[in-house]
Amino acid sequence: MHASKIASPLAVGRNVPRKDSAEKVAGAAKYVDDLVFPGMLYGRTIRSTIPRGRIAATRLAFDQRGFVVADYRDIPGRNVVALIEDDQPFLAEREIRHTAEPILLLAHESRDLLLRAHVEIGYERENPVLDPESSPTAFKSLAIDKGEIEDGFSEADIIIEGEYRTGHQEHIYIETNGVIAVPQDGGITLLGSMQCPFYVHKALKSMLGWSDERIRVVQTETGGGFGGKEEYPSLIAGHAALLALKANRPVKIVYDRAEDMIATTKRHPAIVRHRTGVKRDGRLTAMDIDIVMDAGAYVTLSPVVLSRGAIHAAGPYRCDHVRVRGRAMMTNTPPNGAFRGFGAPQTQFAVEVHMERIAETLGIDPVKLRETNAFRPGDTTSTGQILGEDCSALDVLRRAVRRSGFRTRQRRYAGTNRGIGLALFYHGSGFTGGGEVRLASKASLGLTERGVQILVASTEIGQGTRTMHAQIVADALGVPFDDVYPVQPDTSNVPDSGPTVASRTCMVVGRILQQCAEEMKTRLGGMTPREFFAAHGPMIVTSEYEGPSGIKWDDSTYRGDAYSTYAWACDVAEVEINPDTFEVRPLKLTCVHDIGKAIHPVLVAGQIEGGTAQGIGYALIEQVVMREGSMANAQLTNYTIPTTLDTPPIDVVIVENPSRYGPHGAKGVGELPIDGPAPAIVNAVRSIGIDLREIPAVPEIVMKAIDLGKGKTDARHVPL
Ligand code: MOS
């Protein structure tokens, strides 16, 4: 590890006990489905069974005694989920754009009767658009231009082209989506499993046409999110609220796994095409990249997913002439949305597999090719951002090669059914461009009888928010870790710290908390919190995000500093292919990640291991089968994720090259680990001699790649 440039503090950098561990281990933590309110009803969503068309008629074919029924006419305000574009209705009026689109809501005391209620819906069907490339509707298009692409191609000795495909991915958070709406005193409280309480608050305000203070959103203990609880909870909260207001009773809606898989967002599938000019020695002269993302039926967060994907599309490589074109296309499937990595896993899969093909074509070692092109401090990215000393691309590459014994294994595996491959990648921390300045997030610290209270909207979704924030605050104040305690995010009680997304919770919100603590320390005037409280009573300190000076971004040209810092990583994957079944088994992953500063090393390693395991699933196992725009395998028996048996040893190495902007130098860690495993694994398969360019690389896809290779005269030896 690099020696940290900041003096060693008390809690930061140590594996202190998690703030949420005792309650979770004891089973005392309350998740949404643990909560029961007097008079509570259960809610159910009636959904479309066709991908595209119009509703002709609806008929309630059940005994309606004891039922509450709501449809779009019960919405007092606007029937759109307020997010980026106002296009997605809470409840369909006439038009159906995807299977599982919500049409009607039912509530009843009895879950049994609720499930048995039958609603007949007649449709006028239309032909669905299921291929993003032939869709007439682009939700978002964007362009990045650096240099003059044609100049770059004229400098090239060789031009190499390729097309790379990635599939949907389902989040499979351990707890499905769920919300309870409780009407009281002319207002409503929403309690649920979510990442972003203020997103829900905003969406409900617009749906109800109510003022701020009549709506209260409380995050209940949340069993994972991965982006799947970024925008979706607004929809389910709206549904619960409509039923609750109509019934004037609390209403709980908790999806079962099948409903959660069929109806909620997934990772955007992508088709990425590269055309690259290279010198014979491997230097990149031109990168021309075209990205098509399948957005599904509504815009949701597609513009920002596409944006992050496009910004990361050229990989961590120096190239003077870059052209990126991206489109997010409408199709008649449930909307795709936020998922850990936010577009970057798709585009970095493409560029890293493409780099491997460049190495193969030129006959250059894959490590050497990356060493030649990896960003150094002083290099500029595709958006023209000049990288500083916090750029560690070359460092993580070299460490990963050494640590994994890459060269030795490369030789050892040659000619066998084993292979080794790597991926070099990076991930911008926080919102893109001017996003953090626009968000203007706030955080507060309270001084109470119990100690120092952290007041943020940032949610604990398993990743360690509460613990990591408390460590930062404890050290900045100079108080014991145990004296700092988190509160439940509740929009009536905490300031808007922005959403818990985009690898921003430590780097951005942690930094604001550090500012709060520094100010509180000044106000304490040398007293301990306890002494101050005894003398003066409670105190609250609030601080707001201050955009780092010198960071410039132009949204109209896509030029400038896309992120205030990047985290850098290199993954090495070793795999074995079964010659009879074409199953690819990962044998080991070596993950060297520069995340600036590990506030809590065990939690950081947990993020890296978890993201890597999720990346293994993305690469090899997790296949969403779409039939007529509907997920055909919406069960954990046939949409499977890696178990411990599918997850090989993961050797995690944490590198700490600090950023000036994060607390103690921290950069983002949440998303980075999902970007690398898929290309590293596919490149390992390629090293066996299989021309694989697509994930999930399930046996059928691997077999197809082998069969295609057999017909080619230049096919390399496949030892199968
Ligand atoms: Mo996320 S994919 O930034 O919740």
Side-chain angles (χ1 to χ4, degrees):
M1 286 189 194
H2 286 269
S4 173
K5 291 175 187 162
I6 291 144
S8 176
L10 302 160
V12 167
R14 279 178 42 216
N15 296 318
V16 294
R18 289 182 70 127
K19 289 287 184 192
D20 53 341
S21 57
E23 283 207 322
K24 283 180 178 168
V25 168
K30 294 265 186 262
Y31 294 79
V32 65
D33 211 14
D34 296 322
L35 303 179
V36 176
F37 288 83
M40 190 178 82
L41 308 177
Y42 295 99
R44 179 184 158 199
T45 315
I46 305 297
R47 303 174 178 281
S48 66
T49 51
I50 64 163
R52 185 178 179 199
R54 296 175 76 76
I55 301 166
T58 55
R59 194 174 76 83
L60 306 179
F62 58 93
D63 177 354
Q64 286 164 57
R65 270 174 300 174
F67 276 89
V68 177
V69 183
D71 68 14
Y72 71 92
R73 289 166 301 187
D74 294 298
I75 295 174
R78 303 174 61 229
N79 184 18
V80 284
V81 183
L83 192 64
I84 294 178
E85 298 283 335
D86 291 340
D87 66 338
Q88 183 179 19
F90 280 97
L91 292 167
E93 301 189 4
R94 285 272 288 153
E95 187 194 4
I96 295 297
R97 282 208 210 168
H98 66 85
T99 304
E101 182 152 11
I103 298 172
L104 268 181
L105 303 167
L106 309 178
H108 197 278
E109 268 177 8
S110 154
R111 266 181 167 163
D112 245 24
L113 285 179
L114 193 61
L115 288 177
R116 272 188 264 153
H118 181 61
V119 180
E120 277 167 22
I121 299 184
Y123 301 100
E124 296 156 15
R125 288 167 185 265
E126 288 168 46
N127 281 335
V129 175
L130 299 172
D131 173 14
E133 294 203 279
S134 53
S135 168
T137 312
F139 284 144
K140 174 81 181 176
S141 300
L142 59 80
I144 298 173
D145 288 284
K146 176 190 186 188
E148 292 293 337
I149 195 77
E150 291 312 326
D151 292 356
F153 281 120
S154 53
E155 287 169 30
D157 293 326
I158 304 178
I159 293 171
I160 295 162
E161 298 185 44
E163 179 184 302
Y164 308 91
R165 287 176 180 261
T166 61
H168 284 97
Q169 189 181 19
E170 163 57 36
H171 305 85
I172 313 287
Y173 22 66
I174 197 163
E175 180 203 23
T176 54
N177 269 285
V179 170
I180 301 177
V182 185
Q184 63 203 147
D185 310 326
I188 194 159
T189 300
L190 290 311
L191 305 104
S193 184
M194 65 183 74
Q195 292 175 228
C196 315
F198 280 93
Y199 278 8
V200 175
H201 192 262
K202 175 184 169 188
L204 272 274
K205 239 170 54 173
S206 146
M207 185 195 81
L208 296 171
W210 286 6
S211 56
D212 272 15
E213 64 287 353
R214 290 174 72 190
I215 301 159
R216 177 178 166 206
V217 181
V218 181
Q219 183 228 3
T220 48
E221 203 66 74
T222 296
F226 310 117
K229 293 170 186 168
E230 177 168 345
E231 72 274 35
Y232 197 85
S234 297
L235 194 67
I236 181 170
H239 293 164
L242 286 174
L243 285 170
L245 291 171
K246 194 152 184 185
N248 198 26
R249 288 164 72 167
V251 171
K252 175 192 279 187
I253 303 181
V254 176
Y255 293 166
D256 65 16
R257 185 61 68 178
E259 184 173 23
D260 197 287
M261 290 173 92
I262 280 228
T264 73
T265 54
K266 314 245 173 304
R267 187 186 297 290
H268 293 65
I271 304 156
V272 184
R273 296 188 177 88
H274 277 254
R275 188 166 166 258
T276 308
V278 288
K279 292 286 200 192
R280 289 208 187 281
D281 64 7
R283 275 177 297 148
L284 303 169
T285 65
M287 299 179 89
D288 192 3
I289 304 166
D290 184 74
I291 305 161
V292 177
M293 287 193 183
D294 179 348
Y298 294 104
V299 173
T300 67
L301 290 162
S302 293
V304 278
V305 171
L306 179 68
S307 164
R308 189 176 280 268
I311 289 170
H312 290 79
Y317 301 113
R318 38 179 23 171
C319 180
D320 289 336
H321 307 286
V322 182
R323 174 165 69 187
V324 183
R325 296 291 178 269
R327 300 180 298 292
M329 308 304 294
M330 177 187 161
T331 58
N332 293 109
T333 66
N336 295 313
F339 195 143
R340 191 180 208 167
F342 227 77
Q346 292 93 317
T347 59
Q348 293 199 84
F349 170 76
V351 69
E352 276 304 273
V353 178
H354 190 63
M355 286 297 278
E356 200 68 18
R357 291 191 47 245
I358 292 172
E360 293 162 11
T361 307
L362 296 174
I364 295 177
D365 176 82
V367 175
K368 180 74 179 29
L369 180 78
R370 287 171 175 86
E371 272 180 351
T372 301
N373 292 292
F375 280 141
R376 277 79 165 161
D379 283 342
T380 55
T381 67
S382 59
T383 64
Q385 175 166 6
I386 302 169
L387 295 166
E389 292 299 325
D390 52 347
C391 166
S392 314
L394 204 54
D395 185 34
V396 293
L397 172 65
R398 289 183 172 152
R399 284 170 188 256
V401 167
R402 268 202 312 275
R403 177 83 175 197
S404 63
F406 193 89
R407 310 265 180 218
T408 317
R409 277 159 203 275
Q410 216 177 13
R411 281 193 297 274
R412 193 185 301 160
Y413 294 158
T416 74
N417 62 337
R418 292 187 169 193
I420 187 164
L422 57 80
L424 182 63
F425 53 103
Y426 67 146
H427 204 94
S429 307
F431 265 36
T432 305
E436 290 296 344
V437 173
R438 272 197 303 279
L439 264 181
S441 299
K442 293 183 185 66
S444 302
L445 282 182
L447 191 60
T448 71
E449 197 166 13
R450 213 184 119 185
V452 180
Q453 189 182 49
I454 294 179
L455 297 153
V456 289
S458 304
T459 51
E460 170 69 61
I461 54 175
Q463 81 285 47
T465 296
R466 293 174 196 155
T467 309
M468 169 272 293
H469 278 170
Q471 288 175 278
I472 292 167
V473 167
D475 283 7
L477 267 175
V479 303
F481 174 72
D482 288 344
D483 289 359
V484 183
Y485 67 98
V487 302
Q488 194 173 26
D490 173 341
T491 57
S492 70
N493 191 37
V494 299
D496 186 355
S497 319
T500 302
V501 303
S503 307
R504 65 187 294 281
T505 303
C506 177
M507 153 116 186
V508 176
V509 184
R511 177 74 192 106
I512 308 170
L513 279 171
Q514 200 179 29
Q515 287 165 209
C516 288
E518 283 157 6
E519 189 185 331
M520 184 176 266
K521 189 167 186 179
T522 309
R523 290 211 218 161
L524 289 174
M527 289 190 200
T528 67
R530 246 168 260 285
E531 290 164 355
F532 186 96
F533 186 83
H536 307 284
M539 148 165 60
I540 280 214
V541 175
T542 299
S543 195
E544 190 176 311
Y545 177 77
E546 290 162 15
S549 60
I551 299 276
K552 300 239 175 329
W553 174 255
D554 183 345
D555 219 35
S556 60
T557 58
Y558 256 70
R559 305 298 300 156
D561 303 319
Y563 302 96
S564 62
T565 192
Y566 296 83
W568 307 86
C570 184
D571 284 356
V572 174
E574 294 163 60
V575 304
E576 181 178 82
I577 179 162
N578 181 317
D580 299 318
T581 63
F582 301 130
E583 283 168 295
V584 176
R585 188 164 71 90
L587 302 170
K588 185 181 178 186
L589 272 98
T590 304
C591 307
V592 179
H593 287 220
D594 162 34
I595 49 95
K597 171 72 190 175
I599 303 293
H600 190 298
V602 164
L603 286 176
V604 167
Q607 285 289 307
I608 297 171
E609 284 175 19
T612 301
Q614 206 165 29
I616 290 169
Y618 186 43
L620 294 173
I621 300 171
E622 298 183 39
Q623 186 177 40
V624 172
V625 178
M626 283 287 182
R627 228 167 263 153
E628 280 299 289
S630 180
M631 185 174 180
N633 56 333
Q635 300 168 53
L636 286 174
T637 49
N638 49 11
Y639 180 89
T640 55
I641 61 170
T643 64
T644 47
L645 295 179
D646 304 302
T647 311
I650 300 173
D651 181 20
V652 173
V653 178
I654 299 168
V655 177
E656 297 181 310
N657 177 18
S659 157
R660 311 215 296 266
Y661 305 114
H664 302 271
K667 305 169 177 175
V669 65
E671 297 173 295
L672 178 73
I674 191 83
D675 294 339
I681 286 168
V682 165
N683 289 341
V685 174
R686 294 191 65 84
S687 78
I688 304 172
I690 300 165
D691 185 8
L692 186 61
R693 308 181 191 189
E694 183 178 347
I695 53 166
V698 294
E700 294 91 322
I701 300 279
V702 175
M703 188 171 86
K704 194 177 78 181
I706 292 171
D707 285 348
L708 284 174
K710 279 178 183 156
K712 286 185 191 158
T713 47
D714 64 343
R716 295 183 303 143
H717 172 66
V718 182
L720 299 176

